Amino acid sequence: MRTRFAPSPTGPLHFGSVRTALFAWLAARHAGGAFILRIEDTDQERYIPGVEALIIETLRWLGLEWDEGPETGGPHGPYMQSERTELYRTHAADLVRGGAAYWCTCTPERLAAMRDEQRARHEPTRYDRRCLGRQDEVERERRAGTAAVLRLLMPPGTTEWDDIVRGRVSFDNAEIDDQVLLKSDGFPTYHLAVVVDDHLMDVTHVIRADEWIPSTPKHLALYTALRWDPPRFAHVPPVLDTDGHKLSKRRGARNVLEYGELGYVPSAVVNAMALLGWSSGTDEEVFTPDDLCRRFTLERIHPAPAVFDPKRLDDLNGVHIRRMDVEELVEALEFHLPGTSKDTRRRLVPLLRERIVTLADATRLAEPLLGEPVRDDSIEFPPKGVSDDVAGALLDACIAAVEAGGLDDLEQLRETLRHDVDERGVKARVAFRVLFIAVLGSPVGLPVFDSMAFLGQETTLARLRTARTRLLRSSRNGA
RNA sequence: GGCCCCAUCGUCUAGUGGUCAGGACACCGGCCUUUCACGCCGGUAACGCCGGUUCGAUCCCGGCUGGGGCUACCA
């Protein structure tokens, strides 16, 4: 099996377009086949420089490596359509010779007027073949320099194919327009280029968005005219946003690369994408890329459009993070805990792992351990349910214990302090908020005794004493 | 206007001519617990509508409705 992903460099990749690439990649990997990357840059007007670099970076980040394509090369190159124009012209000439295509010099104005009339008559809009009956004349016009396009002569009859995700699809050819194959600037349209390239690159399975279904009969007609065996088609449904609209650049669909900056890990993004429109048929839903390669088949793609739910990605991201081993996480966290050493991160990971949804959460959570905790006076201190006396006694006990080396045995330290507050009739879960605020600056956050151990005796004592002082001052003011 | 695609909880989905219509996320309870989180237990929640075929339809067929797409010298 040979599949390809053929994006046009008109903007960065979003979740929907990458999911199509993922499906093509998975299908190839599952079958032990090849995955090809080809850049469809035949539209000179919409081309945005630099975007192909972005596309390449996105696929690499996700681990969707291609066997043939830009940068890696391959036996069927070049893999940029703009460098293959000679190929398209050659095959266009074949089509003309075989009577499957003809030149047309109709102006855009005439074409527009023609369509308006057809629409008014409730007919399908398609070229009326005016130029087909006057080819000698058209030839003279072309020689004289009149702009001309090459059109496919759509044969009569019906076109049918067995789509891997849709089943049998069929069209009445009479409804299909004589598609422009070569534009007047000499560049091919998508329709000619895609057929020539897919065939020359030996693509066996065309996996693309279902918006291409209506033009598939044109492509099939081209395969027939060129006497080539057509590939199998799998038209995959679109990914919708929460409002039910198709994901698009225009509607602000996020560049997939941004998910990395936001702290999502590639394996989770891949997992979430795969689950949009595909299921394993079992109850399992957490998969590594390797798992997916093993289990993915095109036949199990659900034909209905899918709404992308960011909550699902969050969940999966947390799961994938929790499944990473310490060293992987130490590596992954480098960007979000800037300036930390590997060893620091190694000590932080056990505290963070269970409580971050994205890697970026680590920045906020670890902050009080990496810098000074910011005192937030909107946080009640001592907290509700804890008297000044109890808070003071707890801090004193904690200070004394830490001075005596209590951080060497956190379990023991905790039990001692818990016993103390218990005797004063206060629940540890309530009283310990004093410690949280003292050490972390907030009543919620990382486990407080582990945090003390991370900070070390000196820093811990400093923070406890600062809190103790703050307490004295406030109770004096209060009295 | 013409043509095409799609339709199961809020979301992603499984599913069969006879099922208590299953799972996951989210949500709501509870447990665990030094906070938070993790984890565990439980709960709310779906076959769009109308016909037909059939002893019986979520499942097969048709229509409708709804959503999406194509209808360019864009992809």
Side-chain angles (χ1 to χ4, degrees):
Chain A
M1 180 186 282
R2 290 173 60 85
T3 68
R4 47 67 165 177
F5 176 53
S8 61
T10 53
L13 262 22
H14 56 71
F15 219 85
S17 40
V18 177
R19 194 211 45 177
T20 304
L22 174 65
F23 283 174
W25 181 80
L26 287 173
R29 288 289 171 269
H30 177 79
F35 176 61
I36 304 162
L37 176 62
R38 182 174 75 221
I39 305 293
E40 310 229 319
D41 56 347
T42 53
D43 185 356
Q44 299 296 293
E45 287 176 22
R46 295 206 307 162
Y47 178 76
I48 300 175
V51 164
E52 26 185 290
L54 236 41
I55 289 172
I56 285 173
E57 191 183 344
T58 304
L59 297 179
R60 290 236 165 97
W61 178 61
L62 290 173
L64 308 189
E65 289 292 338
W66 51 98
D67 305 291
E68 297 174 27
E71 299 193 0
T72 45
H76 305 279
Y79 294 90
M80 304 283 293
Q81 288 190 329
S82 57
E83 294 169 19
R84 301 170 63 83
T85 48
E86 207 40 54
L87 253 18
Y88 309 128
R89 272 192 271 269
T90 307
H91 289 96
D94 282 354
L95 290 168
V96 175
R97 254 197 307 282
Y102 61 96
W103 294 96
C104 168
T105 53
C106 288
T107 63
E109 294 71 31
R110 191 188 101 77
L111 262 16
M114 178 195 74
R115 288 188 198 106
D116 286 347
E117 289 167 26
Q118 290 169 336
R119 203 177 280 247
R121 285 193 305 255
H122 297 215
E123 289 172 8
T125 53
R126 78 291 217 206
Y127 182 55
D128 61 6
R129 296 185 169 170
R130 187 182 78 110
C131 287
L132 183 59
R134 50 183 281 274
Q135 284 293 287
D136 290 346
E137 204 177 327
V138 168
E139 192 50 38
R140 280 196 294 280
E141 289 171 2
R142 285 185 62 220
R143 271 196 247 278
T146 305
V149 300
L150 185 70
R151 285 182 184 277
L152 169 67
L153 179 63
M154 195 65 197
T158 60
T159 302
E160 296 188 315
W161 76 93
D162 281 307
D163 198 280
I164 298 172
V165 346
R166 315 275 153 178
R168 195 142 195 88
V169 183
S170 96
F171 282 84
D172 180 354
N173 291 6
E175 306 282 347
I176 315 284
D177 201 3
D178 280 353
Q179 180 61 48
V180 170
L181 264 18
L182 243 29
K183 297 181 258 187
S184 56
D185 65 1
F187 275 85
T189 57
Y190 168 83
H191 307 279
L192 207 218
V194 75
V195 168
V196 169
D197 290 344
D198 282 342
H199 177 259
L200 262 27
M201 293 179 182
D202 252 339
V203 170
T204 60
H205 296 251
V206 169
I207 297 151
R208 62 185 3 172
D210 69 2
E211 67 201 46
W212 294 107
I213 291 176
S215 42
T216 302
K218 299 169 183 176
H219 304 163
L220 254 7
L222 250 12
Y223 279 99
T224 303
L226 263 0
R227 284 182 296 280
W228 292 339
D229 288 333
R232 295 269 274 139
F233 291 94
H235 286 100
V236 310
V239 176
L240 275 24
D241 63 24
T242 319
D243 301 330
H245 297 98
K246 192 179 152 177
L247 247 38
S248 74
K249 295 149 200 158
R250 181 70 265 281
R251 294 188 58 85
R254 184 171 263 148
N255 174 355
V256 171
L257 245 18
E258 285 178 44
Y259 285 97
E261 290 159 23
L262 258 20
Y264 291 92
V265 297
S267 62
V269 173
V270 164
N271 194 162
M273 275 180 181
L275 257 22
L276 280 181
W278 176 84
S279 66
S280 68
T282 71
D283 282 350
E284 294 158 272
E285 297 187 340
V286 178
F287 299 110
T288 62
D290 278 349
D291 293 334
L292 289 169
C293 289
R294 211 168 301 123
R295 320 180 65 151
F296 181 88
T297 59
L298 294 168
E299 285 76 13
R300 287 203 61 85
I301 294 176
H302 188 81
V307 175
F308 169 56
D309 180 7
K311 294 263 187 59
R312 194 71 207 278
L313 209 212
D314 281 347
D315 174 64
L316 253 8
N317 206 56
V319 173
H320 280 260
I321 284 175
R322 270 172 255 131
R323 290 189 179 191
M324 287 164 81
D325 60 44
V326 176
E327 287 310 307
E328 280 180 298
L329 221 34
V330 164
E331 209 57 49
L333 247 14
E334 185 175 12
F335 178 78
H336 291 95
L337 296 175
T340 56
S341 69
K342 271 194 179 188
D343 191 58
T344 299
R345 274 177 269 140
R346 220 166 262 139
R347 291 196 295 141
L348 240 21
V349 162
L351 305 192
L352 294 170
R353 200 214 291 267
E354 309 293 302
R355 24 204 138 229
I356 56 177
V357 165
T358 67
L359 298 175
D361 293 337
T363 311
R364 178 181 44 81
L365 268 175
E367 206 216 320
L369 298 193
L370 298 175
E372 281 305 303
V374 282
R375 173 164 160 182
D376 180 350
D377 284 319
S378 71
I379 294 170
E380 201 182 342
F381 186 77
K384 201 167 185 296
V386 186
S387 67
D388 283 11
D389 282 352
V390 171
L394 174 57
L395 285 170
D396 287 339
C398 193
I399 288 166
V402 171
E403 279 173 339
L407 295 183
D408 292 339
D409 187 346
L410 299 180
E411 191 74 10
Q412 167 75 45
L413 174 64
R414 184 184 72 211
E415 285 314 308
T416 304
L417 296 177
R418 187 223 290 276
H419 183 72
D420 280 6
V421 294
D422 219 44
E423 286 206 322
R424 292 169 183 270
V426 186
K427 285 254 172 239
R429 59 192 310 118
V430 176
F432 282 3
R433 283 183 204 144
V434 172
L435 266 20
F436 274 94
I437 296 169
V439 176
L440 300 168
S442 159
V444 298
L446 265 14
V448 73
F449 295 109
D450 292 297
S451 295
M452 291 181 194
F454 177 90
L455 291 168
Q457 190 177 42
E458 195 183 330
T459 307
T460 299
L461 285 172
R463 291 188 185 185
L464 290 171
R465 286 176 183 136
T466 300
R468 180 72 249 228
T469 311
R470 181 183 171 191
L471 192 61
L472 282 174
R473 204 173 290 138
S474 69
S475 56
R476 203 174 299 136
N477 291 344

